[in-house]
Amino acid sequence: QLTMSLNSSTLLNEENSQGPKRNTECLESLEMQTPSSFQDNPLQQLQLASQEVLEKAKKSGRSRCPRCSSSRMFYCYTCFVPVETVPTEEIPNVKLPLKIDIIKHPNETDGKSTAVHAKLLAPDDVTIYKYPCIPEYKEKRHEIALIFPGPNSVSVKDIAFHLQKYTKKGVCDNDDDCSREPFLKRAKIELKEEKNLNGCSTSNRSEGTKLKKIIFIDSTWNQTNKIITDERLQGLLQIELKTRKTCFWRHQKGKPDTYLSTIEAIYYFLVDYQQEVLKENYEGQYDNLLFFFSFMYSLIKNAKCCAGKE
């Protein structure tokens, strides 16, 4: 996925070619503005916890990581903990309906990744692995799915139906992947499954199609091939988020705006999962996953505006 930087002064140095004086003026302007000051902020409708702690930390500047003592802004992206100026009890703790594994490419720059946001904000439900050190998923593939676009990917609302293939009573309970079946045979199998599912009660269907873990890949799009072709990920149900557009400020040129940053993908998946699979109204339960992302979005939006980029 895409990644991010948390150093606003570095961003200004990258974006602005007007010299030190202009940078100083922009930084002073940032100090006078709050994350809610942009009317065109597409994230402003989120139900977020107070970001006052981040405002205070921004004014204080970089601080020490309580574990490794590195100088960081807001949090340590190697230890996955807030810095000393951001007390843990002052940032939200989000409970998720399933577990999340994030597989991070070894060449992905730690300080640019949004994956750490998920670990910071949902520490009990999120695990980050650095490739190639990842788990074996094969034995539990009937309850695991992978977020990744591709020719065989399905939408969130179709998760329950497609997971039937991976249950012990499904057609893919052995070592053979459904994708290896000849096209016509596979179509007949899926049609038969659909008829069987339509004849089952809702409770029986949900018992056999309960998703327990979702996997995300954290890397640039040019780096994903090495991970997605790993044999340990083969045969997993792939899900694609096709209807959401990114707000990420480091969006990669030449890629569709539906290619999301890691934290955006996690957030939007959970929102869709709540409504399409759990069949429950979404009432902002996961909005705080964008606690850091929305704050940085506004900071960078302000910086670009001050620098005359917008």
Side-chain angles (χ1 to χ4, degrees):
Q1 302 296 81
L2 306 179
T3 53
M4 70 173 284
S5 170
L6 289 180
N7 191 324
S8 59
S9 61
T10 299
L11 174 86
L12 287 171
N13 288 334
E14 293 175 350
E15 297 285 348
N16 183 20
S17 61
Q18 299 298 318
K21 182 178 179 181
R22 185 65 178 276
N23 283 346
T24 301
E25 292 172 352
C26 285
L27 285 172
E28 290 174 351
S29 176
L30 286 177
E31 295 297 327
M32 300 296 292
Q33 298 179 24
T34 64
S36 60
S37 64
F38 274 88
Q39 294 184 356
D40 61 341
N41 184 347
L43 305 174
Q44 65 182 350
Q45 300 302 318
L46 295 173
Q47 299 178 41
L48 297 174
S50 172
Q51 293 176 320
E52 183 179 358
V53 63
L54 301 182
E55 282 288 347
K56 291 180 179 178
K58 181 188 70 175
K59 294 176 181 178
S60 299
R62 298 169 73 88
S63 181
R64 286 195 321 146
C65 168
R67 292 187 182 175
C68 69
S69 298
S70 297
S71 176
R72 303 283 191 240
M73 192 70 175
F74 303 129
Y75 56 77
C76 180
Y77 43 74
T78 52
C79 299
F80 309 144
V81 294
V83 295
E84 292 179 340
T85 55
V86 183
T88 302
E89 61 271 17
E90 292 189 38
I91 63 173
N93 188 300
V94 184
K95 298 298 181 182
L96 307 183
L98 38 66
K99 300 297 182 182
I100 289 178
D101 281 0
I102 301 174
I103 302 175
K104 188 174 178 297
H105 193 281
N107 294 336
E108 180 70 355
T109 304
D110 290 340
K112 294 181 179 179
S113 173
T114 62
V116 63
H117 296 187
K119 183 61 179 175
L120 284 162
L121 298 165
D124 296 333
D125 298 316
V126 175
T127 304
I128 298 178
Y129 297 94
K130 181 168 286 190
Y131 188 82
C133 299
I134 66 173
E136 293 284 350
Y137 295 108
K138 185 176 181 180
E139 292 184 1
K140 294 189 176 182
R141 62 181 180 175
H142 59 285
E143 57 189 32
I144 299 174
L146 170 67
I147 299 293
F148 197 82
N152 297 318
S153 62
V154 303
S155 64
V156 174
K157 67 179 180 180
D158 293 327
I159 288 176
F161 168 66
H162 286 278
L163 278 181
Q164 283 288 319
K165 301 174 185 177
Y166 303 94
T167 61
K168 292 181 179 180
K169 295 181 180 181
V171 296
C172 286
D173 56 348
N174 52 33
D175 291 337
D176 293 328
D177 186 351
C178 282
S179 62
R180 296 174 188 165
E181 295 281 4
F183 177 79
L184 290 177
K185 183 178 180 181
R186 188 166 71 250
K188 290 179 180 178
I189 290 172
E190 292 183 358
L191 181 61
K192 182 178 179 180
E193 285 179 337
E194 187 171 13
K195 288 181 178 178
N196 290 338
L197 284 175
N198 290 337
C200 294
S201 67
T202 303
S203 59
N204 289 338
R205 177 174 175 174
S206 61
E207 286 175 4
T209 58
K210 188 174 182 180
L211 189 64
K212 294 185 179 179
K213 180 175 289 186
I214 196 79
I215 303 169
F216 293 83
I217 296 176
D218 184 56
S219 73
T220 63
W221 288 99
N222 292 333
Q223 295 171 338
T224 56
N225 187 63
K226 184 177 180 63
I227 297 177
I228 197 63
T229 56
D230 189 289
E231 62 179 10
R232 290 168 290 184
L233 299 180
Q234 303 311 299
L236 293 175
L237 177 65
Q238 285 186 213
I239 300 169
E240 183 172 1
L241 307 175
K242 301 179 181 179
T243 61
R244 309 290 189 171
K245 293 185 178 181
T246 185
C247 291
F248 192 50
W249 46 92
R250 287 183 179 272
H251 182 68
Q252 295 174 29
K253 293 181 180 180
K255 301 300 181 183
D257 57 7
T258 53
Y259 280 22
L260 307 170
S261 66
T262 303
I263 193 62
E264 286 178 299
I266 292 172
Y267 169 72
Y268 285 125
F269 167 80
L270 290 170
V271 172
D272 290 346
Y273 184 79
Q274 181 83 12
Q275 299 175 107
E276 301 288 352
V277 179
L278 300 183
K279 302 299 182 182
E280 298 175 4
N281 292 332
Y282 181 69
E283 300 176 348
Q285 297 94 319
Y286 315 121
D287 282 10
N288 275 319
L289 286 174
L290 298 179
F291 182 74
F292 291 105
F293 184 89
S294 63
F295 188 84
M296 289 308 304
Y297 172 89
S298 293
L299 280 184
I300 293 169
K301 190 84 169 169
N302 290 350
K304 287 185 176 181
C305 182
C306 177
K309 296 292 184 181
E310 296 187 4

